[in-house]
Amino acid sequence: MEYKHEIRLNNNISEVNRAVEQVEAFGEERGLSLKIINTVNLALDELVTNIVSYGYDDEAQHEIVIELLLDDEKLTVNVIDDAKAFNPLDQPEPDIDLPLEEKKIGGLGIHLIRNLLDELEYNRVGNKNVFTMKKKI
Amino acid sequence: VEIVQQKSNDIVTIKLIGKLDSNTSAQLEEAVLALIDSGEKKLLVDGSQLDYISSAGLRVLLMAAKKLKATGGKIVLACLKDYIIEVFEIAGFNMIFQIFADIAEAQASF
């Protein structure tokens, strides 16, 4: 069986909450573990915050679309936005071994996503960024 | 996130209930800065009811740890859920924070 759910957000930071609530509802309805729900929500928190904070040069309203696709083996999450071309996978890996005094937070969000999800892919399609994440269930 | 604070024997226990994400981390930042500014040096985060933490939440904890180190204090964590410990490990935060299995152990570390 395949299940699909689509979430449409405005480019406003408070919209992350709405995405999180819908992922939780979808996950509970489909019997996904709390760990998978939280992993996807963490990834969406990092990505959408990034898109809203750094992705747009204008003051206009933009739409960010999140697609959830669940089959027997995995949950696929597509994040589609019309922000500036940005491939999160191009970002350098942070040095996580630094001591407290030198430790920095930059790049940590995508580092968490890289390590918590099973497959990641970025494509620029027309004027859109399409970021795909897959997590085995 | 809901933040419940309780002080006993100079140790301030900060219980976090819910999600520490990009929307809510500012609440923790405000609470922790107020504690540090008022001279508190021993902070214990009770994560038993913390559902998740994003890099925004990690940033606040890192800020608190740096400020407390400068004043001779420290911040430790207790009762984190498995998948939050995993996030700490991936971020390398298990190397800079003491994480305890229960509150009593964390209290004894000060």
Side-chain angles (χ1 to χ4, degrees):
Chain A
M1 284 296 281
E2 239 190 37
Y3 299 96
K4 192 175 169 177
H5 183 71
E6 192 178 88
I7 306 166
R8 291 180 175 269
L9 307 176
N10 293 325
N11 55 320
N12 184 313
I13 208 93
S14 66
E15 288 276 279
V16 176
N17 272 347
R18 221 155 53 77
V20 163
E21 281 165 16
Q22 291 195 39
V23 170
E24 279 174 359
F26 178 84
E28 278 162 24
E29 200 179 319
R30 298 294 160 214
L32 294 176
S33 72
L34 204 55
K35 180 174 171 163
I36 288 181
I37 295 172
N38 285 329
T39 298
V40 169
N41 277 337
L42 184 134
L44 290 176
D45 185 285
E46 304 289 354
L47 290 169
V48 175
T49 303
N50 220 16
I51 294 165
V52 171
S53 306
Y54 308 111
Y56 303 102
D57 290 328
D58 58 26
E59 300 295 314
Q61 186 168 305
H62 295 269
E63 189 173 58
I64 301 163
V65 178
I66 297 163
E67 293 172 349
L68 305 174
L69 300 155
L70 178 67
D71 62 28
D72 295 335
E73 292 168 357
K74 65 189 178 303
L75 177 64
T76 303
V77 183
N78 294 314
V79 180
I80 304 157
D81 64 73
D82 65 349
K84 287 183 277 195
F86 177 75
N87 181 355
L89 303 175
D90 281 346
Q91 304 314 299
E93 284 281 284
D95 185 350
I96 63 158
D97 295 323
L98 291 173
L100 174 63
E101 292 78 4
E102 298 162 44
K103 194 134 179 98
K104 294 188 178 65
I105 218 73
L108 211 48
I110 185 63
H111 177 73
L112 293 175
I113 293 173
R114 273 184 206 273
N115 285 278
L116 289 168
L117 279 295
D118 295 312
E119 274 180 60
L120 302 173
E121 195 184 319
Y122 169 83
N123 288 295
R124 182 75 177 173
V125 183
N127 68 337
K128 297 213 159 76
N129 295 303
V130 181
F131 192 68
T132 302
M133 307 181 278
K134 292 181 183 176
K135 180 79 184 163
K136 292 190 198 96
I137 58 168
Chain B
V1 73
E2 194 188 329
I3 301 169
V4 182
Q5 295 179 27
Q6 190 203 335
K7 186 175 178 181
S8 65
N9 298 328
D10 291 344
I11 301 170
V12 180
T13 301
I14 305 163
K15 185 169 190 167
L16 302 175
I17 303 168
K19 303 178 178 73
L20 205 51
D21 56 24
S22 54
N23 272 301
T24 59
S25 289
Q27 284 170 251
L28 179 64
E29 180 164 14
E30 206 176 303
V32 165
L33 282 177
L35 289 170
I36 295 172
D37 287 346
S38 68
E40 299 297 345
K41 291 194 161 116
K42 299 174 181 175
L43 304 189
L44 194 174
V45 174
D46 175 354
S48 57
Q49 290 182 57
L50 180 63
D51 292 328
Y52 81 65
I53 186 164
S54 74
S55 62
L58 292 176
R59 187 188 65 78
V60 174
L61 293 177
L62 183 63
M63 177 273 299
K66 284 181 177 173
K67 279 189 179 288
L68 284 165
K69 187 159 190 188
T71 66
K74 72 171 176 175
I75 180 166
V76 303
L77 299 115
C79 308
L80 297 179
K81 290 178 182 169
D82 285 351
Y83 51 79
I84 291 181
I85 291 182
E86 193 184 349
V87 169
F88 270 70
E89 287 171 352
I90 293 169
F93 271 48
N94 56 323
M95 310 294 280
I96 53 175
F97 285 93
Q98 288 177 283
I99 302 170
F100 297 95
D102 60 61
I103 299 286
E105 229 182 293
Q107 285 168 335
S109 78
F110 287 101

